[in-house]
Amino acid sequence: MTADLKTSYMTINMGPQHPSTHGVIRFILKTNGEIIYHCEPDIGYLHRSIEKIAESVTWQGFVPYTDRVDYVCSMNANWAYCLAVEKMMGIEIPERAEYIRVIVGELNRISSHLIAIGTADMDMGAVTPFVHCLREREYINDLLERVCGARLTYNYMTIGGVANDLPADFIQKTVEFLNHFEFAMEQINRLVTYNRIFINRFASLGVITPEQAINYNLVGPNLRGSGVNYDLRKDEPYSIYSKLDFDIPVGTGSEGILGDCYDRYIVRAKEIKESVKLIRQCLNQLPSGEIQAKVKNVIKPPQGHIYVRTETPRGDTGYFLYSNNKTSPYRLKIRTGSFTAMSIIPEISQGLFIADLVALIGSLDVVAPEVDR
Amino acid sequence: MEAFAVSLGVHIYLVKAIIMFIIAALSVTFMAVISGLTTWFERRIAGRMQSRIGPNRVGPQGLLQFVADAVKLFMKEDLIPKGADRLLFKMSPYLCMIGVFAPFVVLPWGMGIIAADLNVGVLYLISITALVVVGTLMAGWGSNNKWSLLGGMRSAAQIVSYEIPVAMGLLPSILFAGSLSMIGLMNAQGWAPWQWSAFQNPFTMIAFLIFFTGSLAEGNRVPFDLPEAESELVSGFNTEYSGFRFAVYFLAEWANLYVIGALTTAVFLGGGNLPEALQPYWYLSIFLFLLKTFFIMFVIIWLRWTLPRFRIDQLMDLSWKYLLPLSFIAFFGQAVYMLIDHQFPVIDMVTGPIMFLIFLLVLLKFFYRVAINFREQNKTVNTRA
């Protein structure tokens, strides 16, 4: 009887309003029951023409827009843009500003990774670790609020330094937080990262081989999860990273196959610890002095173009600037990690369950505004 | 009763019918209130676990939150999606409700306090709860929504597979008690923990764990909440429901929690059995029974807010590859144990206390870990301005 039955693939629309697509992303799934036959990501729901807007605002005026490129780690987005403009104009920024940038950047990296880890946990059905991650993130938000007055879109870094100095008791409060946080993170790990059910869900799933990762231009923790040791902070050091001592965690396939979802996840969990190390070093070495280089109010970078890359929590973020010596960029192009991470989903997701696709998206840490810009 | 009926001058069946009606009304009312309170219970516990407070505005400590929620749900528009199978769509919540409320007929409340002590009580309970599958499957199919369909299918596959370990997990206790009636199962156990079915011997312990795991899966609770899997299927089979129909699902889900707790208590944890000296105070047994039931419910809620979710194939693996063979072993072992017990009754005196001791050691280890956690965590932080 079964031979006569005509079956066809079921087309399911996942998103744009789906709790696990991490923002307004849509996947068109062709499934055989629960097993995915084909998955087509449909992006663009969050497109805000940020690159086009850049052509009509001043160079400094674009900094707040970079916040919105990736609002989960806007401090790092600020940094990437400011660094690009500074390189273009040859501005040397004061050392204290560099240290402050690393401190707030790494704090922001921690909070971004907390979101990544927390949402991955929540996608796996563990709601409590997510709330615990957000609780810890609140402390970081408090700290950054004391620095710049904002909790999400900081607009803190300026071309030539940072907007204002650290408040008086910032160092003490941050050390206090880090002491608390190191244990809290261990608790979250015990609650979910080392949980057998969780490991079984993530291990050997969505394997991206190192070759695939490089071919698809994956960056950041997604690339390192596949075992490729590449981090711009080490390999093309910018700012003061060359002076600081830290390790680059890479995936080892500890629970399954190299490059599986668990590797990408554990790389983030380990990177948090490295960030804590970095912040502690910077707080100890923090020099006094100026926080802002002398920059004119109206800047006109010289004719030419530049492409500057920095390591944000979602990996290599590149800013391509083309200046024709005017008050606003002639062309600005942003290259983000989530966009390329999206492109590998169709290939990897074939043959997975729908529940696994959710895990895959969670482990790739895709953030919708960064995909669409 | 007959004399009473004659003295009033009415037929005996009328009196019986009225009494039945009163008992039914009491049970269902109690049921609804219990499941309402359980929602509060769960939300408060979840709140505490997640560093927040939970509902505390409506009534003392937020105790009346469920009334407010119910009123809100009743006032909502009752939507039936376009293209839905209206009959199935409308019928499904009631099937779920029946599947969860009907077990109350045979659930005891304390020593000898029960609505109807059916001689096939456990069998009745296992079969009537299977109605829930039909309900969820109908909801999944009737909603005209692919996500709901997936939820309904998952639910059917899951509950059908876990019925077997659950039933097999009950068998050792039934074998020991020699009875299928709830009161018979309860009376076969003593008041002391080492006389409980769960700690009687290693095989009943295994059976208890299998039964508990299986009931979690049958009740769609984390780590087996795949039919509802919020992050995957949005809300599973009840995605399209609103208003009163959704409230019914809500009610059924938390009533089911109570059913699981009560069944576990009655069959494995000595029910409401009191020591000889306390037996004249029968109301204490109700109290004890509810206490044990709520403890089991607390454990289920605790698991829900701690563990991640299984994947569908892992869930099936667990049932068919591990729980089912284990439950056969437990069943066979229990039979052998009873044979030996028949020859040397002293073994009964030994295994119970040993099993209970092992349990106490595990508990001790747990509290030791908790104490370490508390000590290490004692670093307060205030980053606010």
Side-chain angles (χ1 to χ4, degrees), chain A residues 191-228:
Chain A
L191 185 58
V192 66
T193 310
Y194 311 139
N195 184 313
R196 200 15 78 183
I197 302 175
F198 182 77
I199 292 176
N200 282 354
R201 282 297 306 273
F202 260 31
S204 305
L205 172 78
V207 178
I208 301 174
T209 61
E211 293 76 39
Q212 263 179 330
I214 292 167
N215 288 348
Y216 274 89
N217 202 353
L218 292 193
V219 287
N222 297 337
L223 178 67
R224 292 192 286 275
S226 293
V228 182

Side-chain angles (χ1 to χ4, degrees), chain A residues 66-80:
Chain A
T66 61
D67 283 337
R68 276 81 182 167
V69 170
D70 184 356
Y71 46 63
V72 185
C73 59
S74 43
M75 204 62 99
N76 287 284
N78 282 179
W79 195 358

Side-chain angles (χ1 to χ4, degrees), chain A residues 57-69:
Chain A
V57 294
T58 58
W59 290 91
Q60 286 107 326
F62 186 64
V63 177
Y65 288 99
T66 61
D67 283 337
R68 276 81 182 167
V69 170

Side-chain angles (χ1 to χ4, degrees), chain B residues 78-92 142-143 241 245:
Chain B
D78 179 34
L79 275 174
I80 297 180
K82 199 175 168 189
D85 191 324
R86 295 179 75 90
L87 181 69
L88 295 188
F89 188 83
K90 284 179 175 173
M91 235 165 85
S92 129
S143 294
Y241 284 85
R245 285 176 225 285

Side-chain angles (χ1 to χ4, degrees), chain A residues 10-14 18-20 33-34 122-128 131-132 135 139 142-143 146 173 176-177 179-180 183 187 190-192 195 197-198 200-201 205 353-356 358, chain B residues 46 48-52 146-147 149-151 154 222-223 225 230-234 304-314 369 372-374 376-385:
Chain A
M10 178 160 73
T11 308
I12 306 183
N13 184 29
M14 184 173 176
H18 188 277
S20 299
E34 282 216 32
M122 197 166 65
D123 293 346
M124 295 301 95
V127 185
T128 302
V131 184
H132 285 205
R135 180 193 66 204
Y139 291 130
D142 286 340
L143 285 171
R146 289 161 63 77
K173 291 265 187 195
E176 208 175 273
F177 162 72
N179 289 343
H180 155 86
F183 179 68
Q187 242 181 355
R190 274 216 300 270
L191 185 58
V192 66
N195 184 313
I197 302 175
F198 182 77
N200 282 354
R201 282 297 306 273
L205 172 78
F353 285 96
I354 291 177
D356 289 341
V358 169
Chain B
R48 286 288 160 204
M49 286 184 176
Q50 301 183 344
S51 316
R52 53 190 177 86
K146 284 165 186 168
W147 295 104
L149 182 63
L150 284 178
R154 278 181 177 192
V222 171
D225 69 332
E230 195 200 331
S231 51
E232 297 157 19
L233 302 187
V234 191
R304 170 168 181 185
W305 296 102
T306 311
L307 293 178
R309 183 186 304 125
F310 277 91
R311 197 170 59 209
I312 186 87
D313 57 325
Q314 294 168 345
R369 280 282 354 152
I372 288 181
N373 259 6
F374 264 106
E376 286 178 27
Q377 199 186 19
N378 196 17
K379 289 171 190 157
T380 50
V381 58
N382 175 24
T383 47
R384 285 190 181 278

